[in-house]
Amino acid sequence: LQAHKKEPGNLSHAALSWVQQQSDIFSNRARQLQDALEQSRSDQPASLKNAVASFRNCRMQYKKFAFFLEYFFPDQAYIFNGPPVPEVDPYEDEVVDPAGLQVIGSLLLKANPYPDKMKMVGQAEMLVRSSETTRLLLGDFKATDQDILKSMQQELIRVMTLYITGYDAPELKTGIAEAAEALAAMDTVLPAYTGNNAYRDSLGYYLTAGRENLKTHTDFDSFDRLFFITRCAQPIEKWLSRLIIKTGPDALSALNPHADNLFSPSALDKNAFPHTEDQNDPRIVRLGNELFFEKTLSGNGARSCSSCHSPDHCFTDGLARNKTIDGKDDLPRNTPGLLYAGYQYAQFWDGRAASLEAQINTVLNNKSEMHSSGAVLSKSLAGHPVYAKAYKAIWPSDSAIQPDRIEGALAAYIRTLAPFSSDFDRYMQGDAAALTRDQQNGFNLFMGKARCGSCHFAPLFNGLLPPQYTSTEFEILGTPADDHFEKPRPDSDAGRFNFFPVPLNKGAFKTPTVRNAAVTGPYMHHGRFHTLEKVIEFYDRGGGAGLGLSVPEQTLSSDSLHLTAREKTDLIAFIGALTDK
């Protein structure tokens, strides 16, 4: 990590001192965990309880300085608390092995953890060694007060979107208590900040209130997440953002520093996502809008973008799978919706396109979909006076219509398809009457017991991973060929593996948004799940592995969620509240 040019302030000094102290304690807790795991025996149940208790203490201690480590030393943080499954890096063409507390938790809390005892001991030993190097990392470290405040901001987002959903401790269900430790750490360090006492004191007030709420209501399944987010976390976010803005200009990131809160329509800055043309130019957006409905973009002049992405169906088609452009065969996958598609780093179900422009180019040139080409686009639009004139007004220096400009204009229009006008959005912006009690309960289930929010991340409820929102996640669910769960058949679609042939990608698909899901069925990549009831039943039964299929790399837990009939109904009610108006 390069040292920052600005001199560290009081807050930076306080944070560094705190982290040094807490990392030393973590090192001791890691040794205790290693000892407890080594001493665990199948014929001594108390030894297993001791190992679980040591594991819990280790996790709690980590959250006392995670805000700092995750922001400034992410590689070290990955060793401490990385995902429990191998990560496929598409840029380096390699698989990153899992490490740390999540790996231990996934093994320790199984019905029979003893066959994996030495693997857990090895992970704990690695924790000990890595924790001993933390003080060395901190030796020449320097950061500004703004850096520390931004690290707290990202930790707050983790609290709202990951910790209280049980993202990194699903079996232990300590997410609420861990969130309390995270807020307590920030509340302890913050008083050292002297830049703006009024903002600091307001922030401190709500941090204390948030801590108390988390400590008073510790039961994971019954915790009122909606109350915590709206009454505690959003005020914390508000005052923290004001402090950050007061410390000086901020670099462009996916998070808009001027947004009211994470659930504001402007919380994520679309300009931070991959794009080619000036998507803020209304002329380009207008041209893209008109071209979206233009059939001359297709090779036979019979199909437009809107033919498969109809505004009347929330920019889907309402079909399990649409037809090829000649109408002879079904396309291989369900048509994904375009609402909020601009907030992604991967397009298509398998993520093979890195931008909307690349996705549009692929569809236009696909013989089964639009069966067009760059030459066809240039010629057909040049012969259309309205489009030719509009193009020349925007790009006067181009001697001919460039296909990539057309793709950029279409993408600029699609990026405007983010209305944030649902009942849920109105509730999160202060309209307390916008959600029914059933819908509120459904949100708490979605973000808690049902574990939906640990893959469909807030605020978009898709695979855009918080807190930085710089990557899109893929999951292996073991989705069967249809929704006949009593006699499940494996699906033949290999998903992401088809273009990125790493075994861990077999059956992996992008996590789509749940926004507008109530009105955009049928569901899943093949469109073979006909109702939301079937979708929820599939997850409740533990995905394909839970149904009895062989899915060795499934990233979804195969354990049942044990949802009641009422809970399933409330979940569907909440999903309905995500329908845009």
Side-chain angles (χ1 to χ4, degrees), residues 10 106 143 212 257 284 291 332 341 349 384 421-422 442 506 514:
N10 292 338
S106 66
E212 290 303 315
I284 296 177
L291 291 172
W349 279 101
H384 197 299
S421 60
S422 70
K506 193 169 185 180
V514 181

Side-chain angles (χ1 to χ4, degrees), residues 21-85:
Q21 175 190 8
Q22 299 306 316
S23 64
D24 287 345
I25 298 174
F26 178 82
S27 184
N28 292 329
R29 295 281 173 84
R31 290 190 192 92
Q32 293 170 7
L33 173 60
Q34 181 182 351
D35 291 342
L37 289 170
E38 289 175 342
Q39 294 169 14
S40 63
R41 293 176 53 177
S42 58
D43 59 345
Q44 295 182 3
S47 66
L48 178 61
K49 289 184 178 180
N50 183 51
V52 172
S54 294
F55 172 67
R56 185 183 190 279
N57 290 338
C58 213
R59 286 201 58 85
M60 292 297 170
Q61 184 59 33
Y62 175 70
K63 292 306 170 78
K64 292 183 178 181
F65 63 106
F67 76 94
F68 187 96
L69 208 65
E70 297 273 359
Y71 186 86
F72 295 106
F73 300 101
D75 290 342
Q76 185 83 338
Y78 185 93
I79 295 173
F80 283 178
N81 193 40
V85 295

Side-chain angles (χ1 to χ4, degrees), residues 203-249:
L203 175 57
Y205 173 84
Y206 285 107
L207 277 172
T208 301
R211 290 174 58 186
E212 290 303 315
N213 178 254
L214 292 163
K215 286 185 175 181
T216 305
H217 307 90
T218 58
D219 181 69
F220 184 84
D221 288 347
S222 64
F223 181 69
D224 191 341
R225 292 159 175 83
L226 196 59
F227 178 91
F228 170 75
I229 291 174
T230 55
R231 303 293 181 86
C232 303
Q234 284 186 331
I236 293 172
E237 189 177 10
K238 169 186 171 182
W239 291 107
L240 189 53
S241 295
R242 290 187 179 184
L243 273 181
I244 292 172
I245 291 171
K246 284 291 184 180
T247 59

